[in-house]
Every structure is written in structure tokens, then in C-alpha cells.
Amino acid sequence: MTRPFRVAVIGSGPSGMYATDALVSQEDIPVSVDIIDRLPTPFGLVRYGVAPDHLSIRSVRDTLDKVLDHPGVRFLGNVEVGRDVSLVQLREFYDAVVLTYGASRDRGLGIPGEELAGSIAATDFVNWYTGHPDTSPDAFSDFLASSTSVAVIGVGNVAVDVTRVLSKAPDEIEHTDMPEHVFAALRASGIHDVHLVGRRGPAQATWTTKELRELGELAQTQVLVAEGGEVDDVASVRAVAEDKAVARNVAVVEGWSGHVDDGRERSIHLHFRCRPVEILGKDRVEGLVVETTTLDDEGQASGTGQTHVIAVDGVIRSVGYRGTALEGVPFDDRRNVIPNREGRVLDGDTPLPGVYVAGWIKRGPTGIIGTNKKDAVQTVACLLEDAADLAAWTAVQPETMAVDAALGDRVVVGTSGWRSIDAAERALGASRGRDRTTLHDRAVLLEAAGD
Ligand code: NAP
């Protein structure tokens, strides 16, 4: 073997970085990795998903960043697979390709009124407040300025993040790396009531206790349980008894259930057992119709036929992320993942040689950042097991850096370009008394990468 085994990792979020780390830190086979990302910056959801005020979770990027220092690792940012280079080409240039491009689309509710002005997806809102280059700076200025009371549909951690960002006073958030236009729009926000709406009970919510508790720790905001918070059905009682995490979540909600409105400036209202059935409004959102639900013995919700209106002028759906297909790779349209066995991509029942998958596009949008490490390690173990059999291993050596030639004059941000962006963001932040300020504009990012 005269050259290292060559791997392309598509996507530089946690699963891509953990897969790369697992590949270059083993010693059985010399491996080189090109990490390809459509954005000019690495780290995916750690940069554009984790809430900016969750500083300790965001600091995981320092760990991920170290992977880029490995001499066998290159970062090729601002390169989109399917547009700048095809998967077919990558399979010629590399011995193996690991798809770790995540699940970035929002899921819809499929109810009337969803398309009204003032009805938005949490995924877009999160992209905006984290400074994602695909989101216009003024995308949510009108939404924030013209809404007073919004419903956040879904009771997972993204819903909690969005609720917290909307409910914090400006001085509770302005130490973060959010772009300046985001602070300005949040300062001008008219929203004082946020209604968190779950279609099942507190025992079935998917948020985690630490994140949930934070809602009760905001300086100017009270948490009120509006409806459906009781835990008296068979499934919920059993879940509390059997699962400590569920019991902790339920205890937090119960702790709030006695709260009465103390007249504070901002309120978070928890609504459980409420299934959204329609968003009302002529030109923009004027209310959310929900149907009261009951839970069966398995904790699944069914409608009672009784409906009522939650008075809101904005709706944010936070009902999960959705993976999308990549040309040339099988896709499971029902689960929105790439079919695989332990990370080996399957075409029917047969593994597609040299193509692997890790992270959310492998298993769906679940788990915390650390979940992706175990997941990526499993995929890499399969890849290394197959390495000797992969045709390219013994085939004609691919031309060194063939991908670079294929990219032609595309502006590619390498590791040093990313380091320049990083330095520019730190310098901008320092000029405002912060650790960092995110650069959101793609042209500005590319310019900073060239400095
Ligand atoms: P999630 O945890 O799957 O929550 C989705 C929520 O949407 C659930 O409450 C679900 O209710 C609800 N839902 C789905 N379809 C619905 C419908 N048609 N009508 C009403 N409600 C509906 O997803 P997520 O909040 O997007 O988070 C994704 C992943 O990222 C999770 O693993 C999460 O823990 C993680 N994350 C972690 C953090 C953190 O650790 N701080 C922060 C953000 C995200 P049902 O259960 O009834 O389906």
C-alpha cells in the first residue's frame, strides 16, 4: 500500500467530525479524510442548532475543532455534493464515502392555515438566530415586531430553546455570539406570551429536565401550566414509575402547576393534551384551534372532539427535523433516513460498496450531541472491517487530490480559511465585549476566509 486509504466525509457536524476522529485516531490502516461541507464553516448543528445561550454545549466545538489539526484531515468548505461535485465522482476519487449531512428540513403539521403569514418553522427561526448564511438577516424582524402572543407547537428540546430565546430579556442573551441584527430584532420583539403546546401529557414530552428547568429560571418570565398537566392516566403513571428522567420532567411541571399569574412582564403557558387542528386567520395568524386529547394505555393520543382556541398571533411549529435524499443513494421516504445496517448503506438488502452513513441521516433526528459519537464509531468500525475488500483498495490509485481538480475554480474554504473566519469572529466579538460574534453573510465569510 503506497497511499493512505482515502475517505470523504460529507457534512462537518458532530457525526462527521466524530467519524473523522474515529478514522484518523485508529492505527490499523493509514487513513486520510476530506471533510466536505456545503457551508464555509464547519460543525453543522453545533454552530447552527445548539442555542447560542447554551455556552457549555456550544463549547464542544473546541473539541471538534482539534480534529481538523490532524495532518491526515482536510476541510473542504463551501462545496456542495450534488452541485459542485457528484456522489458518482466522489466514489471514483475516494475508497469510501461517509454521508453525515444530517436532517436540516422542517416537518410540517399538515393542518389548514399552516401557510399563513405569522406561521413559521422552528428550524428556520433557529437558523436565523444562529446566523445561518442561508437565512436573510431580516427574515423574522416582522414576525417578532408584529406578534405579541405565539404558540410553539411540540414539546421537545428545540421547542424549549425557541421558547427560551423568545422569553429572555435582552440582557440575558446579549453576551452570546448571535449576530447584531438578531439582538436588534429580539430587542424590538413585541412577544410577551409564549404558549408551549404538546399533543400528549408531561410524561410523554421529549425535552430533557435540565433544559426544561431553565424555563423557570428566567429573570422576567413566569411559567404557568394552562391545561392538561395532570398525570393520572395509566401510561403516564407507569412511565413515571419506570423512568427516572420522565419522573424528573413531571416533577418540574408539577412544581409549576400551582403558579398563579403574578403579573410579570412575560409568561410561558404550558398546554398539554392539545392537538393542533387549524391555524385561524385571514391574511395572518389570528388563533390556534386545538383539540383536547386523551391517552391510551400506550400513551398515544386520540382526539375527544372537543376543541378550543388558543389566542395567538404567531405559530412556530417545532415538531422535528427531516432528512432529505441525496441523488444516487437509496432513501427511506417514510422514516426520512438513508437505509443502512449499522452504518453500511443498503440498496434493498445489499450493502452499497464503499458508501456509509452516520448521525441523523442514519438514525433520524434524535439524541444529544454525544449520541453521535457512539453512532459514528459504529459506522467507522464497519468501514474499517470492509476496507480490505473495497475495490478501490487494490484498484488503480486515484489521482492525488482528484477532487480538487474536479472543483475547478469553486472557492473552497480549507482549514486555514476556517481559522481566519474563526479569528475574525473572535475579533468582532471582542470589539463588542463578547467572546465571539457570528458572521452570517456568506460573502463576508468567504472574504474572511481569504484573509
Ligand atoms: P423531538 O424531541 O422529536 O420533539 C418533537 C416534538 O414535536 C414532540 O413533542 C412531538 O410530540 C411533537 N410533534 C411531532 N409531530 C407533531 C404533530 N403533528 N402535532 C403536534 N406535535 C407534534 O424533536 P426536536 O425538539 O426537534 O429535537 C431534535 C433532537 O435534538 C432531539 O433529540 C433533542 O433532544 C435534540 N436537541 C437537544 C438539545 C439539548 O440537549 N439542549 C437542544 C435542541 C435539540 P410526540 O412525542 O407526541 O410525537
Side-chain angles (χ1 to χ4, degrees):
M1 192 67 198
T2 55
R3 62 172 178 85
F5 188 77
R6 292 168 53 80
V7 182
V9 170
I10 315 307
S12 64
S15 53
M17 299 308 290
Y18 286 133
T20 303
D21 192 34
L23 282 163
V24 295
S25 47
Q26 55 78 39
E27 289 174 353
D28 296 339
I29 306 172
V31 176
S32 72
V33 181
D34 282 354
I35 306 171
I36 301 176
D37 201 297
R38 71 182 191 86
L39 296 176
T41 52
F43 313 139
L45 276 189
V46 169
R47 188 176 160 98
Y48 297 118
V50 174
D53 60 337
H54 275 170
L55 302 181
S56 68
I57 307 180
R58 274 177 94 79
S59 70
V60 79
R61 68 174 158 195
D62 298 338
T63 312
L64 302 183
D65 203 327
K66 291 197 178 75
V67 177
L68 296 176
D69 288 334
H70 193 284
V73 175
R74 293 198 308 165
F75 176 62
L76 306 179
N78 201 38
V79 174
E80 185 167 337
V81 175
R83 185 194 60 191
D84 303 315
V85 61
S86 70
L87 185 70
V88 172
Q89 286 176 301
L90 293 181
R91 291 182 71 189
E92 283 168 16
F93 303 153
Y94 297 91
D95 301 305
V97 176
V98 186
L99 304 168
T100 63
Y101 62 84
S104 56
R105 294 282 163 80
D106 71 288
R107 289 183 57 223
L109 289 165
I111 61 172
E114 205 171 354
E115 69 302 331
L116 281 170
S119 161
I120 65 169
T123 46
D124 294 335
F125 189 61
V126 171
N127 277 345
W128 172 75
Y129 70 58
T130 53
H132 195 293
D134 289 351
T135 312
S136 148
D138 55 8
F140 296 103
S141 313
D142 278 356
F143 176 83
L144 289 167
S146 60
S147 307
T148 58
S149 175
V150 301
V152 177
I153 298 174
V155 285
N157 277 330
V158 171
V160 172
D161 281 348
V162 165
T163 298
R164 196 180 61 255
V165 166
L166 290 174
S167 304
K168 274 192 166 179
D171 63 356
E172 289 179 286
I173 207 149
E174 291 192 358
H175 60 289
T176 69
D177 62 11
M178 284 175 170
E180 202 59 45
H181 64 263
V182 175
F183 292 138
L186 288 173
R187 255 179 252 132
S189 166
I191 297 169
H192 44 71
D193 287 280
V194 180
H195 297 263
L196 254 174
V197 181
R199 60 181 170 180
R200 301 191 284 160
Q204 287 78 33
T206 51
W207 48 41
T208 42
T209 313
K210 184 168 170 288
E211 280 61 33
L212 178 63
R213 272 202 196 110
E214 275 180 83
L215 295 182
E217 294 162 2
L218 307 184
Q220 299 176 8
T221 309
Q222 59 181 340
V223 184
L224 304 167
V225 180
E227 55 188 313
E230 37 319 305
V231 177
D232 51 8
D233 60 281
V234 174
S236 300
V237 170
R238 192 178 55 228
V240 168
E242 290 176 358
D243 189 330
K244 286 195 177 115
V246 171
R248 280 194 297 269
N249 284 347
V250 165
V252 174
V253 174
E254 280 175 351
W256 290 330
S257 62
H259 285 189
V260 284
D261 190 340
D262 61 11
R264 248 184 284 181
E265 201 177 315
R266 297 159 189 253
S267 305
I268 296 167
H269 310 261
L270 304 182
H271 301 253
F272 295 102
R273 295 182 169 83
C274 287
R275 179 160 75 190
V277 290
E278 184 178 358
I279 301 172
L280 299 175
K282 198 158 158 274
D283 301 319
R284 58 161 297 135
V285 173
E286 290 169 18
L288 173 70
V289 184
V290 293
E291 178 183 18
T292 306
T293 65
T294 53
L295 300 184
D296 66 17
D297 289 357
E298 300 310 314
Q300 295 309 313
S302 52
T304 59
Q306 288 178 332
T307 60
H308 60 283
V309 177
I310 302 177
V312 291
D313 47 19
V315 170
I316 305 178
R317 60 181 180 280
S318 179
V319 293
Y321 285 74
R322 184 168 61 87
T324 50
L326 179 67
E327 202 185 332
V329 188
F331 194 69
D332 179 339
D333 287 318
R334 198 179 51 82
R335 294 183 56 228
N336 295 315
V337 296
I338 295 176
N340 70 93
R341 193 180 300 131
E342 297 181 347
R344 289 182 177 97
V345 171
L346 293 178
D347 192 0
D349 255 356
T350 318
L352 198 61
V355 187
Y356 300 83
V357 67
W360 277 9
I361 197 63
K362 170 185 177 186
R363 64 172 200 279
T366 58
I368 57 172
I369 291 170
T371 315
N372 295 298
K373 187 166 190 174
K374 207 170 147 209
D375 179 311
V377 165
Q378 181 195 52
T379 296
V380 167
C382 292
L383 187 159
L384 294 170
E385 211 177 286
D386 300 347
D389 292 334
L390 290 172
W393 182 250
T394 48
V396 178
Q397 309 288 301
E399 245 180 75
T400 319
M401 308 306 179
V403 72
D404 300 46
L407 290 171
D409 53 10
R410 176 85 192 154
V411 178
V412 179
V413 177
T415 301
S416 66
W418 155 239
R419 298 271 186 256
S420 301
I421 293 172
D422 189 36
E425 291 191 334
R426 287 178 198 272
L428 184 60
S431 72
R432 294 166 175 170
R434 300 179 190 122
D435 287 347
R436 171 192 296 273
T437 294
T438 300
L439 294 174
H440 65 277
D441 185 279
R442 191 180 278 262
V444 173
L445 285 164
L446 294 181
E447 195 182 318
D451 287 343

